[in-house]
Amino acid sequence: MKIKISVPGKIILSGEHAVVYGKPAIAAAVDKRLTVTLQSRDDGKRGVHSDAGDTKLIKAAINVVKDELKLRKKGAGRHSIFTNGYELNVESKIPVGAGMGSSAAAAVGAIAAFMVAYTKNHSIDHKKINDLAYRVEKIQHGNPSGIDNSTVTFGGFLWYRKEFEFLKTFWKLQFKIADKMDNFYLINTGRPDETTGEMVQTVRERFCKKKMPIGTKFLQILDNIESVAKQATLGIKGEDEGMLMEAIRQNELLLEKLGVVGQFAKNIVREIEAVGGTAKISGAGGIKDKSGLLLVYHTDKRAVEKIAKKYSLECSTAELGAEGVKLDKLIV
Ligand code: MEV
């Protein structure tokens, strides 16, 4: 049996961090994909290889599938791919540790591959895959909102909210970026020293440690992030460039207030703003040194490229709203 699954990366247009505290966020799948190939063997051996970071997360994903399928007990699942052996290979075009959902995509891809192998009609069950991937995110990050795994699983644009641990809701927004507003760019400022889990913890310690219930200053920032997430969404839907750009600018300032943007990224954002563009970090950020991905909006591509070049950073266009996890190939 050979199964090939592909999963998109993701960006958060607005609302990261606040989404951990029950606020809404808007995210989009991006057209940089990660591919998982699962091939059965007949010698009982198991191999896991990945060019997308260490394989610990993928092994955690495999264990989550085994738990779900109740295959962890001795003797269970005989004649299965787990007992006969497999080769799992992950290849990724999503930059690792940049806030583009590469770990969520790896978990989703590995889970999808094994679930497809075990499903009678070998189909993709998005909801099930997403639920299992959330469990892996929890092992990985401690307190995730679930927005990363949901976005790369379902694809498109997601208006996401985690009401409770047991109620994570999202609305798949049925819109496209209008041609005239197709001016998004991605600049990778570099892999942060901190993990997503550590950045989420940094915010918690800064604002919530000794303040339960949460203090008014933090509540105010969260409320303001909710407003800008709505503005960004209305800006895209209403094709109102000014509104979208202002929302991105305000969101970046609020993320700086939360303390998740490092000086290097701030400098680049200010330069982009000085030449008429707007930019924000996308994802958890980072403060010790680099801050991961910058989502940039500018009508002049060359102006953005010039700034990226000055800092010797990669700059690429961003196709937003890519398809979620999908089965690319199946040989039974
Ligand atoms: C990370 O992509 C987004 C955060 O809000 C964390 C989360 O939602 O789990 C920083």
Side-chain angles (χ1 to χ4, degrees):
M1 179 183 277
K2 187 172 180 176
I3 292 163
K4 208 172 195 171
I5 300 282
S6 74
V7 195
K10 71 98 205 358
I11 54 118
I12 296 185
L13 275 153
S14 186
E16 54 272 268
H17 285 288
V19 71
V20 173
Y21 298 88
K23 290 294 185 186
I26 174 171
V30 281
D31 62 339
K32 293 181 197 293
R33 299 187 82 86
L34 172 143
T35 304
V36 174
T37 310
L38 175 66
Q39 188 147 20
S40 53
R41 296 168 61 138
D42 50 20
D43 57 4
K45 291 193 174 135
R46 298 162 198 181
V48 176
H49 311 276
S50 172
D51 70 3
D54 76 48
T55 54
K56 230 171 86 190
L57 167 105
I58 294 164
K59 289 179 181 153
I62 294 172
N63 282 335
V64 163
V65 173
K66 281 188 185 170
D67 281 343
E68 175 65 19
L69 299 171
K70 303 192 172 36
L71 296 176
R72 289 251 236 174
K73 284 193 201 112
K74 237 185 162 196
R78 280 202 297 133
H79 311 299
S80 76
I81 196 165
F82 289 110
T83 39
N84 294 345
Y86 59 79
E87 203 63 37
L88 186 105
N89 205 24
V90 178
E91 288 173 296
S92 182
K93 295 208 161 58
I94 306 169
V96 177
M100 270 188 79
S102 83
S103 57
V108 165
I111 290 167
F114 282 105
M115 292 306 282
V116 165
Y118 270 88
T119 310
K120 264 198 193 121
N121 59 1
H122 303 297
S123 61
I124 295 257
D125 179 344
H126 289 84
K127 186 175 177 323
K128 174 63 73 189
I129 293 166
N130 193 40
D131 287 348
L132 298 180
Y134 178 71
R135 286 193 217 161
V136 180
E137 288 278 281
K138 282 192 77 157
I139 297 168
Q140 174 93 338
H141 300 312
N143 184 29
S145 66
I147 193 170
D148 291 5
N149 51 283
S150 300
T151 307
V152 303
T153 301
F154 292 95
F157 291 87
L158 253 56
W159 180 257
Y160 184 93
R161 200 191 269 265
K162 178 181 177 181
E163 299 289 350
F164 306 101
E165 187 60 36
F166 61 88
L167 179 59
K168 298 180 281 301
T169 70
F170 68 84
W171 192 265
K172 209 163 164 187
L173 299 168
Q174 297 301 332
F175 56 43
K176 274 179 44 184
I177 302 282
D179 285 349
K180 67 167 188 173
M181 286 174 72
D182 198 3
N183 300 312
F184 287 96
Y185 300 94
L186 305 176
I187 294 182
N188 187 355
T189 71
R191 189 175 185 161
D193 286 343
E194 306 90 337
T195 63
T196 295
E198 283 163 358
M199 288 312 295
V200 168
Q201 190 57 20
T202 299
V203 172
R204 189 170 296 280
E205 275 168 15
R206 181 159 182 194
F207 291 97
C208 314
K209 209 173 176 187
K210 291 189 196 112
K211 294 181 195 136
M212 284 313 266
I214 297 171
T216 45
K217 186 178 167 206
F218 189 43
L219 281 179
Q220 190 65 58
I221 296 175
L222 296 179
D223 284 348
N224 290 344
I225 292 179
E226 174 166 9
S227 298
V228 294
K230 286 180 175 163
Q231 247 186 64
T233 306
L234 290 175
I236 294 171
K237 172 113 177 77
E239 300 179 20
D240 184 337
E241 191 165 68
M243 186 186 248
L244 172 68
M245 289 181 76
E246 184 56 16
I248 295 174
R249 197 178 73 80
Q250 291 294 342
N251 198 163
E252 167 64 19
L253 291 177
L254 290 161
L255 287 161
E256 290 177 16
K257 273 195 187 164
L258 279 185
V260 295
V261 189
Q263 194 53 50
F264 181 64
K266 280 185 198 167
N267 294 346
I268 301 171
V269 171
R270 298 292 100 80
E271 284 203 37
I272 291 166
E273 289 171 345
V275 295
T278 187
K280 66 177 275 290
I281 61 145
S282 174
I287 40 174
K288 284 188 195 144
D289 186 13
K290 306 293 164 53
S291 305
L293 195 73
L294 278 183
L295 176 67
V296 182
Y297 188 93
H298 203 307
T299 48
D300 182 357
K301 184 180 180 191
R302 275 186 309 176
V304 182
E305 283 173 344
K306 203 170 155 195
I307 292 172
K309 197 168 168 205
K310 178 178 160 191
Y311 288 93
S312 307
L313 297 175
E314 253 177 64
C315 171
S316 57
T317 49
E319 285 282 327
L320 305 184
E323 193 177 341
V325 60
K326 64 186 172 85
L327 178 59
D328 286 344
K329 197 175 185 176
L330 170 69
I331 303 170
V332 182

